[in-house]
Amino acid sequence: MPGQRKRKRQQQDASRRATARTASGTGYWTVLLETQDASEWRSHLRRLRCAEEQIDWSMTRVDTLCGRLVQPTTYRLSLFVPGPERALDRDLSGR
């Protein structure tokens, strides 16, 4: 297919840049929302997309912790904050 190699290379380059920007020591992840309610999850994402102050979606991480019968599914939205690591993060990673 024409252009497939170029498109794939561009996607790989974008992935490498995002990985480099969020590497250890360049900042930390902060949780914006954590919920077990799917409708609350969707409405919060909708509000973020429509808000006047836009967030950088390339610096977000979506975690879906799959539940079972005992534990329900948990949705977590995190945002990468560039800058020095927080002291708590350094203490936990040093153990």
Side-chain angles (χ1 to χ4, degrees), residues 51-69:
E52 288 182 24
E53 185 180 323
Q54 294 291 315
I55 63 172
D56 183 6
W57 288 101
S58 67
M59 299 297 278
T60 59
R61 181 177 70 193
V62 174
D63 299 316
T64 305
L65 309 171
C66 297
R68 298 288 185 253
L69 295 175

Side-chain angles (χ1 to χ4, degrees), residues 11-63:
Q11 290 172 346
Q12 289 172 342
D13 290 344
S15 176
R16 277 191 220 106
R17 282 192 304 271
T19 302
R21 285 190 313 197
T22 60
S24 180
T26 59
Y28 59 94
W29 291 97
T30 182
V31 177
L32 296 178
L33 175 71
E34 185 168 349
T35 184
Q36 294 176 347
D37 183 12
S39 62
E40 179 184 359
W41 170 253
R42 287 188 301 271
S43 67
H44 187 78
L45 288 177
R46 195 175 306 118
R47 281 193 308 270
L48 283 175
R49 288 185 194 118
C50 295
E52 288 182 24
E53 185 180 323
Q54 294 291 315
I55 63 172
D56 183 6
W57 288 101
S58 67
M59 299 297 278
T60 59
R61 181 177 70 193
V62 174
D63 299 316

Side-chain angles (χ1 to χ4, degrees), residues 1-14:
M1 215 178 224
Q4 185 174 0
R5 183 179 301 165
K6 179 181 177 182
R7 189 171 38 256
K8 186 174 182 179
R9 191 176 325 114
Q10 287 174 341
Q11 290 172 346
Q12 289 172 342
D13 290 344

